Amino acid sequence: MIYIKKCFSLYLLLIVAFSCSQPKDDHIRILFIGNSYTYYNSTPELVKAFIQERFPDQVVETQLISGGGMTLADHWKNESTVEAIRTGKWDYVVLQEQSKLGMGVMIDSEMYFGQTERFFEHARKFDTEITKADAKTVFLMTWSVRDKPNEQAILTHAYTAIAKELEAMVAPVGLVWDKVRKVPKIDLYADDGGHPSPTGSYLTAVTLYATLMIDNPKGLSGTISGNRLSSSGDPSLNKELLIDISSEEAQLIQEANWDVVKAMQTSSSYLDFEQPEPSYTIPVLSKGESIELNNIVGKWYGTGTYGSEYVGQIMEVKDEGDKPEVSLSFYSPHVQDEIRIDSAIIKGDQLILTLYDSLRSRNAILQMSLNNGKMEGILASSGNFQMYKHLYFSKASVHNEIDLSALALLMESFQSNIAKEGHTKAALKHYEQYSNLIGESYKPEEFYLNAIGYNFLRGEKVNDALNAFELAMTYYPESINTYDSYAEALIVAERKDEALAVYKKAYELAKKIGYENLDYIETNLNKLKNNIAVDIEGEAIPPPPPPH
């Protein structure tokens, strides 16, 4: 999907491109600003390794400023990021926007690309600072997710359009990715179908190398060691193996890469891509009956698309002096999430609620209509992405064979039992009762408990994290990961002796089952024994998915 017109003055253009892109001396300094698409598999370290492999006399310095899901707008709010540009004496600053261009549109469970204004606004702001610092702006064109290859056209247009406006460079990772993804034996994606696998990060780094150095990457090694980078860009103390792919895969990626990079650098119209039409339609609330307060007073039960974990929601409407007072809660098997209602008004055929979801720090407007004793609503919210969710209500408490009224009582009992019996005992009883309610055995997944535990740790809710990890150990006693996570939380809680005891159990179990990462457990055990700080690996574990 590369549209290339006939090249002209090829030799002259290569000379100009080469002279503009080379560093000012035998040092080359590169600042990367992005998120997980850049820090996965330590992409900046891979770029550094390639440059040093091909140009051994070149001193290469890199820095990564990143965070999970961060947009360029998020980075711009961080004064230290702008200061790093101003004071770093960089040759290049590589900008990578969030995977949906910083302003996606989520409709029910589907995420679409939204408008590019926010991306372009902050790209311009960063480019101004980068130019003032006598550096060159480089846009890292990202790739479409595995299941939506057609969306590459949106990314390609956005990155090339802003690069053309600013006379900036583009590392056409997405275009190379689009070419290589068709090769059956090469998997560029991590398990989630969006983030890069080690091979995907290799492709990304090769494209950056070829773009920055104007050099054919053919022959570069497929085995690379370096300092592993954390999600915030901090390097590990020691070097380790980062990438190890076959020479056949490396050569295929290098050849595909140079075909695209060379074409973009030598074509007179390499930045001319048509803007695709939007692939979505904003939902509109259906026309309803005129709403009278006395017709909607009471409890309403239903389901919707607000969150994948939720099995239903309950809304209660009360008459408070001819004005509606509304409460709204969403229920998962684990928790009741109550939404704050800031205002509720009836306007013609709509009940309109102004909401605040403290769990996700999102404001929203919920508009509802009434038809034949049932209510339908569209919840709209803006932020880093626009969100539209459908909610459906009726007076019947049973939806999808779950009695939501009984579930609400179950949640009240769960909270009461936590205070009486402790979290783990209360949770075991709760999930047994929930199993009886739905008519089949149920227990929380290990991944969920582990992820929510690390969310609590990041939020400095250490006791909540300990509860989640302890429950995971109880449900999954043969999983080394549950012991490791619980021990890390105990270390954060400064309960070293207990952490040591847990690591001992983990080590004995790891030896018994032949755990592949036995060395890691043994290393942490020895660190604890010798009063050496243990690295907390929680940031590498993704949080539970947002509502979609």
Side-chain angles (χ1 to χ4, degrees), residues 84-102:
I85 295 172
R86 293 171 177 167
T87 60
K89 297 182 180 179
W90 307 105
D91 295 293
Y92 304 103
V93 178
V94 179
L95 302 177
Q96 177 247 310
E97 181 56 285
Q98 184 259 356
S99 60
K100 292 296 180 183
L101 298 176

Side-chain angles (χ1 to χ4, degrees), residues 412-532:
E412 291 179 14
S413 176
F414 183 21
Q415 294 304 313
S416 175
N417 288 336
I418 289 175
K420 296 175 184 176
E421 305 170 345
H423 183 272
T424 298
K425 189 174 181 179
L428 293 172
K429 180 185 293 184
H430 167 74
Y431 288 116
E432 181 180 353
Q433 292 173 334
Y434 181 75
S435 297
N436 293 333
L437 178 66
I438 65 175
E440 61 182 56
S441 179
Y442 179 89
K443 67 178 181 180
E445 294 181 354
E446 179 186 350
F447 172 82
Y448 170 80
L449 294 173
N450 202 52
I452 202 71
Y454 279 112
N455 278 351
F456 284 137
L457 271 189
R458 282 190 287 271
E460 299 183 355
K461 298 178 179 179
V462 181
N463 287 335
D464 290 334
L466 287 166
N467 288 335
F469 293 142
E470 184 178 12
L471 185 60
M473 278 201 315
T474 304
Y475 272 125
Y476 301 94
E478 298 300 310
S479 171
I480 304 298
N481 190 52
T482 63
Y483 292 87
D484 180 40
S485 300
Y486 186 53
E488 288 183 350
L490 288 169
I491 292 170
V492 174
E494 299 183 352
R495 292 159 59 180
K496 178 194 163 186
D497 291 343
E498 293 173 74
L500 183 59
V502 172
Y503 262 123
K504 286 179 179 178
K505 290 181 181 179
Y507 181 66
E508 293 304 319
L509 178 60
K511 286 197 300 181
K512 178 182 176 182
I513 67 175
Y515 184 53
E516 61 182 357
N517 291 322
L518 177 62
D519 289 346
Y520 168 78
I521 299 297
E522 185 175 14
T523 297
N524 281 349
L525 178 60
N526 289 331
K527 283 182 177 180
L528 273 176
K529 287 180 177 178
N530 294 288
N531 293 315
I532 300 173

Side-chain angles (χ1 to χ4, degrees), residues 188-207:
L188 301 174
Y189 294 95
D191 291 340
D192 62 7
H195 286 95
S197 67
T199 307
S201 294
Y202 182 89
L203 181 151
T204 302
V206 167
T207 308

Side-chain angles (χ1 to χ4, degrees), residues 128-348:
T128 298
E129 293 295 334
I130 293 166
T131 302
K132 285 180 183 177
D134 197 25
K136 187 68 177 175
T137 300
V138 183
F139 289 103
L140 193 167
M141 179 197 294
T142 53
W143 51 91
S144 60
V145 297
R146 176 188 281 133
D147 297 335
K148 296 182 179 179
N150 293 339
E151 290 186 340
Q152 185 59 49
I154 301 171
L155 290 162
T156 300
H157 174 266
Y159 277 102
T160 54
I162 191 63
K164 184 175 183 179
E165 174 191 324
L166 301 176
E167 298 182 357
M169 299 171 66
V170 182
V173 175
L175 290 176
V176 181
W177 195 291
D178 209 45
K179 190 172 183 178
V180 176
R181 70 187 295 167
K182 301 182 179 80
V183 180
K185 60 186 176 181
I186 293 184
D187 190 357
L188 301 174
Y189 294 95
D191 291 340
D192 62 7
H195 286 95
S197 67
T199 307
S201 294
Y202 182 89
L203 181 151
T204 302
V206 167
T207 308
L208 284 162
Y209 166 82
T211 301
L212 298 177
M213 305 306 293
I214 316 295
D215 184 56
N216 188 338
K218 186 176 181 180
L220 289 174
S221 175
T223 302
I224 305 167
S225 295
N227 298 95
R228 190 166 297 280
L229 303 178
S230 72
S231 61
S232 58
D234 296 323
S236 61
L237 295 177
N238 301 312
K239 288 191 174 184
E240 58 184 277
L241 181 66
L242 299 176
I243 299 289
D244 187 13
I245 66 173
S246 69
S247 57
E248 181 183 4
E249 288 178 305
Q251 182 177 343
L252 192 152
I253 289 171
Q254 292 159 11
E255 291 175 352
N257 180 284
W258 188 237
D259 287 344
V260 175
V261 172
K262 183 173 64 175
M264 290 192 73
Q265 290 172 343
T266 59
S267 172
S268 62
S269 56
Y270 77 97
L271 295 181
D272 293 338
F273 291 87
E274 293 184 6
Q275 182 173 6
E277 293 294 325
S279 57
Y280 59 88
T281 302
I282 300 299
V284 177
L285 187 66
S286 59
K287 183 73 175 175
E289 306 164 4
S290 180
I291 295 179
E292 300 291 338
L293 179 54
N294 63 328
N295 291 335
I296 60 173
V297 167
K299 289 188 177 181
W300 295 79
Y301 306 87
T303 58
T305 61
Y306 189 58
S308 58
E309 282 289 316
Y310 294 132
V311 297
Q313 69 264 350
I314 300 176
M315 177 177 68
E316 184 172 12
V317 182
K318 296 180 179 179
D319 184 344
E320 295 293 333
D322 295 328
K323 293 182 179 180
E325 181 180 287
V326 182
S327 62
L328 175 64
S329 290
F330 293 91
Y331 292 85
S332 75
H334 323 288
V335 71
Q336 171 190 352
D337 290 331
E338 185 172 2
I339 305 299
R340 190 181 80 200
I341 309 295
D342 291 330
S343 69
I345 61 170
I346 295 173
K347 190 174 181 180

